[in-house]
């Protein structure tokens, strides 16, 4: 199966390789169901004593200003054109828009961790998916299996190995391991991104959801119920399919 691009249900996509298609069969079915109007399932709350580090992303507050991306690049010593965080902005009516922050969602059942042959992508002690660039050979296997299309290979088309650079969130293992928040969390000026123990973040997320529903009827939480539970709890303003995400 060759790569290409197209438009399906109003969302642009990259045609999957055969390998990635086999990995993502369940996700593809979820997207197809979503296009037919399937609603997201109610998310399951993390255990009350879940102290794994996680994130809460409030898409209703995010302006896609790029401050978190800039701080992430500074923290990782990356050039401006090499971004570990991307933003997808979808028009939703004449005045409204949906903002999605495209970066690692730290799946508990992470296909990238299972697939990595070099030990570069691992489950960290904090509960986040950690990436160690010095071990990465840029084989692209993790990019093939990620259901959210997060890892990106930068470099000349057709180049291999060290001629390419894999761009993906590192999980800031040194910062989190020493009790600090990740670089992106500390830089958000709008309170759209928070970090901390997942049980505590769930409390904040449910409070924010209640506030959001006073103005946004379609507001919902996304993440805890898919891929073993995402390490990022997200507050969405509409169904996940409107953001181009698998049903969750």
């Amino acid at each position: 199966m060759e790569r290409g691009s197209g438009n399906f249900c109003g969302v642009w996509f990259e045609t999957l390789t055969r390998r990635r298609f086999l990995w993502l069969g369940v996700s593809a079915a979820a997207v197809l169901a979503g296009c037919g109007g399937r609603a997201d399932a109610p998310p399951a709350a993390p255990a009350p004593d879940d102290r794994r580090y996680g994130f809460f992303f409030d898409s209703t507050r995010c302006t896609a200003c790029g401050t978190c991306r800039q701080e992430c690049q500074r923290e990782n010593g990356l050039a401006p054109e090499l971004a570990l965080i991307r933003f997808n902005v979808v028009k939703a009516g004449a005045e409204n828009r949906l903002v999605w922050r495209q970066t690692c969602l730290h799946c508990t059942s992470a296909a990238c961790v299972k697939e990595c042959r070099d030990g570069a992508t691992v489950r960290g002690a904090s509960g986040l998916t950690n990436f160690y660039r010095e071990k990465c050979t840029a084989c692209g296997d993790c990019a093939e299996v990620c259901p959210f299309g997060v890892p990106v290979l930068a470099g000349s088309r057709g180049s291999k190995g060290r001629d390419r650079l894999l761009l993906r969130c590192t999980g800031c293992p040194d910062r989190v391991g020493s009790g600090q928040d990740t670089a992106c969390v500390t830089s958000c000026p709008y309170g759209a991104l928070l970090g901390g123990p997942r049980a505590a973040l769930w409390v904040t997320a449910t409070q924010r959801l209640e506030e959001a529903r006073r103005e946004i009827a379609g507001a919902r939480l996304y993440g805890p119920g898919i891929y073993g539970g995402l390490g990022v709890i997200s507050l969405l303003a509409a169904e996940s399919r409107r953001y181009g995400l698998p049903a969750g």
Side-chain angles (χ1 to χ4, degrees):
M1 187 179 295
E2 298 180 353
R3 289 184 180 275
S5 62
N7 185 288
F8 187 72
C9 295
V11 178
W12 281 96
F13 64 93
E14 182 183 59
T15 303
L16 305 177
T17 62
R18 176 178 176 80
R19 186 181 192 188
R20 189 175 183 190
F21 178 82
L22 292 174
W23 265 96
L24 304 185
V26 174
S27 298
V31 173
L32 288 170
C35 290
R38 173 183 166 185
D40 294 327
D49 59 348
D50 190 346
R51 297 194 57 79
R52 291 176 299 166
Y53 191 91
F55 302 92
F56 170 59
F57 171 59
D58 187 341
S59 72
T60 68
R61 294 194 182 190
C62 181
T63 65
C65 68
T67 303
C68 62
R69 177 170 56 197
Q70 294 169 4
E71 184 61 19
C72 173
Q73 289 169 316
R74 187 200 64 76
E75 177 75 15
N76 289 283
L78 295 174
E81 66 273 14
L82 300 177
L84 307 187
I85 300 170
R86 307 185 298 278
F87 293 94
N88 296 335
V89 181
V90 181
K91 289 290 288 183
E95 299 180 355
N96 298 322
R97 64 178 190 166
L98 306 177
V99 178
W100 179 248
R101 183 176 176 270
Q102 181 84 349
T103 189
C104 184
L105 296 178
H106 302 279
C107 309
T108 298
S109 299
C112 59
V113 171
K114 298 174 184 176
E115 189 70 8
C116 181
R117 67 183 77 172
D118 304 310
T121 302
V122 299
R123 170 73 56 221
S126 66
L128 298 182
T129 301
N130 292 150
F131 172 63
Y132 296 93
R133 185 166 291 108
E134 66 275 11
K135 296 182 179 181
C136 179
T137 60
C139 66
D141 287 351
C142 62
E144 291 287 340
V145 301
C146 176
F148 298 98
V150 168
V152 172
L153 285 167
S156 301
R157 179 172 293 184
S159 61
K160 297 181 179 180
R162 293 298 177 181
D163 293 331
R164 299 191 295 182
L165 179 68
L166 184 75
L167 300 176
R168 62 166 300 155
C169 169
T170 66
C172 288
D174 292 338
R175 293 178 64 100
V176 176
S178 62
Q180 302 178 70
D181 280 318
T182 59
C184 55
V185 166
T186 61
S187 64
C188 180
Y190 299 107
L193 185 65
L194 305 177
R198 297 186 189 184
L201 289 174
W202 177 259
V203 174
T204 299
T206 54
Q207 292 172 344
R208 289 272 190 99
L209 174 62
E210 184 178 350
E211 295 171 4
R213 280 181 169 168
R214 296 170 188 166
E215 298 182 0
I216 307 172
R220 67 202 58 219
L221 296 179
Y222 178 81
I226 58 175
Y227 302 107
L230 302 184
V232 182
I233 304 169
S234 298
L235 173 57
L236 306 182
E239 290 182 354
S240 58
R241 66 185 180 89
R242 299 287 301 278
Y243 294 80
L245 299 169

mmCIF file with all atom_site columns, all heavy atoms in Angstrom, residues 64 88-89 102 178 183 237:
data_model
loop_
_atom_site.group_PDB
_atom_site.id
_atom_site.type_symbol
_atom_site.label_atom_id
_atom_site.label_alt_id
_atom_site.label_comp_id
_atom_site.label_asym_id
_atom_site.label_entity_id
_atom_site.label_seq_id
_atom_site.pdbx_PDB_ins_code
_atom_site.Cartn_x
_atom_site.Cartn_y
_atom_site.Cartn_z
_atom_site.occupancy
_atom_site.B_iso_or_equiv
_atom_site.pdbx_formal_charge
_atom_site.auth_seq_id
_atom_site.auth_comp_id
_atom_site.auth_asym_id
_atom_site.auth_atom_id
_atom_site.pdbx_PDB_model_num
ATOM 1  N N   . ALA A 1 64  ? -3.369  28.336 20.466 1.00 0.00 ? 64  ALA A N   1
ATOM 2  C CA  . ALA A 1 64  ? -2.328  27.944 19.510 1.00 0.00 ? 64  ALA A CA  1
ATOM 3  C C   . ALA A 1 64  ? -1.274  29.040 19.373 1.00 0.00 ? 64  ALA A C   1
ATOM 4  O O   . ALA A 1 64  ? -0.736  29.274 18.296 1.00 0.00 ? 64  ALA A O   1
ATOM 5  C CB  . ALA A 1 64  ? -2.937  27.604 18.148 1.00 0.00 ? 64  ALA A CB  1
ATOM 6  N N   . ASN A 1 88  ? -3.239  21.864 15.294 1.00 0.00 ? 88  ASN A N   1
ATOM 7  C CA  . ASN A 1 88  ? -4.255  21.711 14.262 1.00 0.00 ? 88  ASN A CA  1
ATOM 8  C C   . ASN A 1 88  ? -5.441  22.592 14.643 1.00 0.00 ? 88  ASN A C   1
ATOM 9  O O   . ASN A 1 88  ? -6.002  22.444 15.733 1.00 0.00 ? 88  ASN A O   1
ATOM 10 C CB  . ASN A 1 88  ? -4.718  20.257 14.155 1.00 0.00 ? 88  ASN A CB  1
ATOM 11 C CG  . ASN A 1 88  ? -3.597  19.328 13.716 1.00 0.00 ? 88  ASN A CG  1
ATOM 12 O OD1 . ASN A 1 88  ? -2.648  19.756 13.069 1.00 0.00 ? 88  ASN A OD1 1
ATOM 13 N ND2 . ASN A 1 88  ? -3.693  18.062 14.078 1.00 0.00 ? 88  ASN A ND2 1
ATOM 14 N N   . VAL A 1 89  ? -5.794  23.504 13.773 1.00 0.00 ? 89  VAL A N   1
ATOM 15 C CA  . VAL A 1 89  ? -6.914  24.408 14.028 1.00 0.00 ? 89  VAL A CA  1
ATOM 16 C C   . VAL A 1 89  ? -7.990  24.136 12.984 1.00 0.00 ? 89  VAL A C   1
ATOM 17 O O   . VAL A 1 89  ? -7.750  24.246 11.783 1.00 0.00 ? 89  VAL A O   1
ATOM 18 C CB  . VAL A 1 89  ? -6.471  25.885 13.971 1.00 0.00 ? 89  VAL A CB  1
ATOM 19 C CG1 . VAL A 1 89  ? -7.652  26.800 14.257 1.00 0.00 ? 89  VAL A CG1 1
ATOM 20 C CG2 . VAL A 1 89  ? -5.348  26.144 14.973 1.00 0.00 ? 89  VAL A CG2 1
ATOM 21 N N   . GLN A 1 102 ? -1.030  18.905 18.895 1.00 0.00 ? 102 GLN A N   1
ATOM 22 C CA  . GLN A 1 102 ? -0.554  17.625 18.369 1.00 0.00 ? 102 GLN A CA  1
ATOM 23 C C   . GLN A 1 102 ? 0.816   17.293 18.947 1.00 0.00 ? 102 GLN A C   1
ATOM 24 O O   . GLN A 1 102 ? 1.837   17.821 18.524 1.00 0.00 ? 102 GLN A O   1
ATOM 25 C CB  . GLN A 1 102 ? -0.481  17.702 16.835 1.00 0.00 ? 102 GLN A CB  1
ATOM 26 C CG  . GLN A 1 102 ? -0.015  16.427 16.154 1.00 0.00 ? 102 GLN A CG  1
ATOM 27 C CD  . GLN A 1 102 ? -1.144  15.442 15.929 1.00 0.00 ? 102 GLN A CD  1
ATOM 28 O OE1 . GLN A 1 102 ? -2.239  15.626 16.452 1.00 0.00 ? 102 GLN A OE1 1
ATOM 29 N NE2 . GLN A 1 102 ? -0.889  14.412 15.158 1.00 0.00 ? 102 GLN A NE2 1
ATOM 30 N N   . SER A 1 178 ? 12.933  14.924 38.783 1.00 0.00 ? 178 SER A N   1
ATOM 31 C CA  . SER A 1 178 ? 13.382  15.753 39.903 1.00 0.00 ? 178 SER A CA  1
ATOM 32 C C   . SER A 1 178 ? 12.239  16.538 40.540 1.00 0.00 ? 178 SER A C   1
ATOM 33 O O   . SER A 1 178 ? 12.474  17.446 41.336 1.00 0.00 ? 178 SER A O   1
ATOM 34 C CB  . SER A 1 178 ? 14.470  16.724 39.433 1.00 0.00 ? 178 SER A CB  1
ATOM 35 O OG  . SER A 1 178 ? 13.966  17.618 38.448 1.00 0.00 ? 178 SER A OG  1
ATOM 36 N N   . ALA A 1 183 ? 8.650   21.284 30.456 1.00 0.00 ? 183 ALA A N   1
ATOM 37 C CA  . ALA A 1 183 ? 8.897   22.632 29.955 1.00 0.00 ? 183 ALA A CA  1
ATOM 38 C C   . ALA A 1 183 ? 7.637   23.256 29.364 1.00 0.00 ? 183 ALA A C   1
ATOM 39 O O   . ALA A 1 183 ? 7.366   24.448 29.561 1.00 0.00 ? 183 ALA A O   1
ATOM 40 C CB  . ALA A 1 183 ? 10.011  22.596 28.907 1.00 0.00 ? 183 ALA A CB  1
ATOM 41 N N   . ALA A 1 237 ? -14.247 20.638 22.813 1.00 0.00 ? 237 ALA A N   1
ATOM 42 C CA  . ALA A 1 237 ? -15.466 21.423 22.654 1.00 0.00 ? 237 ALA A CA  1
ATOM 43 C C   . ALA A 1 237 ? -16.488 20.714 21.776 1.00 0.00 ? 237 ALA A C   1
ATOM 44 O O   . ALA A 1 237 ? -17.608 21.202 21.606 1.00 0.00 ? 237 ALA A O   1
ATOM 45 C CB  . ALA A 1 237 ? -15.138 22.791 22.055 1.00 0.00 ? 237 ALA A CB  1
#
